[in-house]
Amino acid sequence: MLAPPLLSMDAGGPLGADCMQHAGHLGAQSPSLEAQLAAVRAVSPWGTVNEQQRSGACGLSQGVANGMRAVPDFAQSIQPKILKQINSFNTKEDLLTNAAACHQVLDEINLTTCIYRLARLYNNVRGVAARRRWASELHGNFMFHLLLRTLHSHLLHAQLQLMQQPHKFRGFDARCVSNLIWALVKLEVPTEPGALGHEVVHAVSPLVLHFLPMASSQGLANLLWAYSKMTEPVLHVMMMIVAEMTGRLQCAKSPATFDAQALSNAIWALAHVRSRVSDLDAIAGIPGLTLSFMGAVASSAVSMLNGLRTRTDQGSMLESERAFSCQALVNIVWSFATLLGENVTRVAPVRALFGCICAEALIRLAATASALQLNQGWAPRLLDGFNEQAFSNIVYAYDKAQLLDADLLQSIFTVAALRLERCGGRPSFKPQELCTLLRAAQSSIAQPWAFLEKLHSVLCASPHIVSEWGAGERAELERALALLEMYRTAVLMERMRLQQEQEQAQMQQAQEHHAQFTALAAAPSYSMSSSYSSGGFSGSMW
């Protein structure tokens, strides 16, 4: 569901700047990279890429893995140039061809950068079919397997180095292993037992544990997210990451180093694996670790939210979105609701967080509704904030925690209706997302009628939208539309009743006016006759 934010990549790549700095300046008179690589290939025990293809990838991979080769001394000086070239490739074919041609002289940072660069390239591919094709081509490419095998060899060599000469360890570092784990997951490299990805993950995991104290806060969150996305997460490593993050969050000086996205990714990762493994504390060997972590994350998030001071104007809204995105808001409450359910109210920091996020969400929803109604130019920039998935997740979270109130749900229905108006006949709701709101519409907590009316109009104009829905989703839609029809009938009957009452009131008022008019008309004759009878005139006029 969530991807961690991509680390910044300068001209030398995410790992390149550090490598360039330590490698020193290479003089202008040094041989070209192509000439140096040609000399390296000449002494390579595996030959050129074409020779590798003829000999088969499996044999090469096994040779690399068994050798656990370190980078030759004569190749150290060209690593910065290779690194710069790796980061210049814009297609996987160019990168893999060049990496495979000189894989035997790539150091740990360059090998990791190859995998990371591939992940960045994959991240830029748009369209489900295009991404599936890209990944399939990569996973079936023998040069990619060769790259992974070479990397696996270096990881085994690093483990030996750590055991035998830990004080002389060099090569991999905290950022390197964090980027590697993240890239493997982004590339969807299979990690189930027996797969090459499984071997790489288990080879790098001891290094992850070794570098935990040196890892950045963003690196820790990305590691936790990446491990949770694997087919079989390495749970003991994950829980050690949780322990490290808990310690930093509880430290008075450290919480500010975790941003909202890091907190969101971390708690989401825990919720993701908790659905499969109930007793995470037993795996960690630290009683109460999971609850302590949740409390620390919640307290840190509350501190961030209290500092936002969000207002409904454009500048404040966009600034708050950058500091604490709607996606982070929603994913945090979704994760806590998944972990705790109705017990959210029993954990004080988490209960306080739900209150803060509700207040923040109400401000942002009100600003979004106003911007959409007035068709303000900055509104489209907020549309990726509270979108359809966000509506679904936040309603699910507050309902599961039994904290869903009328104001929040009404605001969500209002913005959802406005988004349906702007969809142009193509609503971006997924069926399961829509069904969450449809179920909430039947709860009698808020008034969903404007939202249901807009939805009904869209479905009448484009009935094919529901053609691929499942039976359960169609049934949910039918119940909601039946509720809408009942509401329409009730409104019509109420109008008829009011009209009838109005007609009766008008008739009664008319009768009263007629009676008053009759009385007024009769009043003069009654006065004249009274004058005669009172003796005002006596006897004959003559």
Side-chain angles (χ1 to χ4, degrees), residues 155-233:
L155 289 168
L156 296 179
H157 183 270
Q159 287 189 42
L160 288 178
Q161 194 177 9
L162 271 180
M163 290 186 289
Q164 296 172 357
Q165 297 177 313
H167 57 286
K168 294 183 178 180
F169 182 83
R170 62 187 179 87
F172 291 103
D173 58 17
R175 190 178 182 185
C176 191
V177 296
S178 174
N179 284 352
L180 175 58
I181 290 290
W182 179 86
L184 290 172
V185 171
K186 288 297 291 183
L187 289 170
E188 302 175 20
V189 176
T191 56
E192 63 271 9
L196 178 55
H198 181 81
E199 297 179 33
V200 175
V201 168
H202 281 266
V204 74
S205 290
L207 301 184
V208 170
L209 293 176
H210 174 75
F211 286 120
L212 281 184
M214 291 83 83
S216 67
S217 299
Q218 184 67 53
L220 289 175
N222 286 356
L223 277 170
L224 196 58
W225 175 87
Y227 272 112
S228 73
K229 293 281 286 181
M230 294 178 183
T231 307
E232 292 192 6

Side-chain angles (χ1 to χ4, degrees), residues 493-510:
M493 293 180 66
E494 180 67 14
R495 287 176 180 173
M496 292 175 64
R497 185 186 67 80
L498 291 175
Q499 185 177 358
Q500 186 177 7
E501 288 181 354
Q502 186 178 6
E503 290 174 352
Q504 290 177 352
Q506 290 174 350
M507 184 178 297
Q508 184 178 358
Q509 187 178 13

Side-chain angles (χ1 to χ4, degrees), residues 7 32 100 130 182 235 256 309 462 473 531:
L7 302 179
S32 68
W182 179 86
L235 293 174
R309 310 290 183 187
S462 305
E473 293 159 347
S531 300

Side-chain angles (χ1 to χ4, degrees), residues 16-144:
D18 295 336
C19 184
M20 290 287 195
Q21 182 178 359
H22 295 306
H25 178 71
L26 294 176
Q29 300 302 320
S30 59
S32 68
L33 177 60
E34 288 72 15
Q36 295 177 68
L37 289 179
V40 168
R41 295 188 191 105
V43 298
S44 168
W46 295 297
T48 65
V49 174
N50 290 334
E51 291 168 351
Q52 292 167 10
Q53 290 175 321
R54 287 194 295 270
S55 62
C58 296
L60 286 170
S61 299
Q62 191 63 39
V64 173
N66 290 340
M68 293 189 294
R69 300 174 58 87
V71 177
D73 292 336
F74 65 84
Q76 295 293 340
S77 62
I78 63 172
Q79 296 304 316
K81 288 186 176 182
I82 296 177
L83 181 63
K84 194 170 184 178
Q85 188 179 46
I86 290 171
N87 283 299
S88 69
F89 293 128
N90 293 314
T91 67
K92 66 178 183 300
E93 290 77 14
D94 288 343
L95 192 154
L96 289 172
T97 299
N98 284 271
C102 59
H103 68 275
Q104 65 272 22
V105 297
L106 296 178
D107 67 3
E108 295 82 359
I109 289 180
N110 278 329
L111 286 167
T112 301
T113 304
C114 285
I115 306 297
Y116 188 86
R117 180 62 179 167
L118 286 169
R120 293 295 300 268
L121 293 174
Y122 180 54
N123 199 63
N124 293 330
V125 178
R126 295 291 177 262
V128 175
R131 289 176 65 83
R132 187 181 297 116
R133 182 172 60 254
W134 199 100
S136 177
E137 292 172 354
L138 178 71
H139 298 162
N141 192 310
F142 96 94
M143 290 182 286
F144 181 60

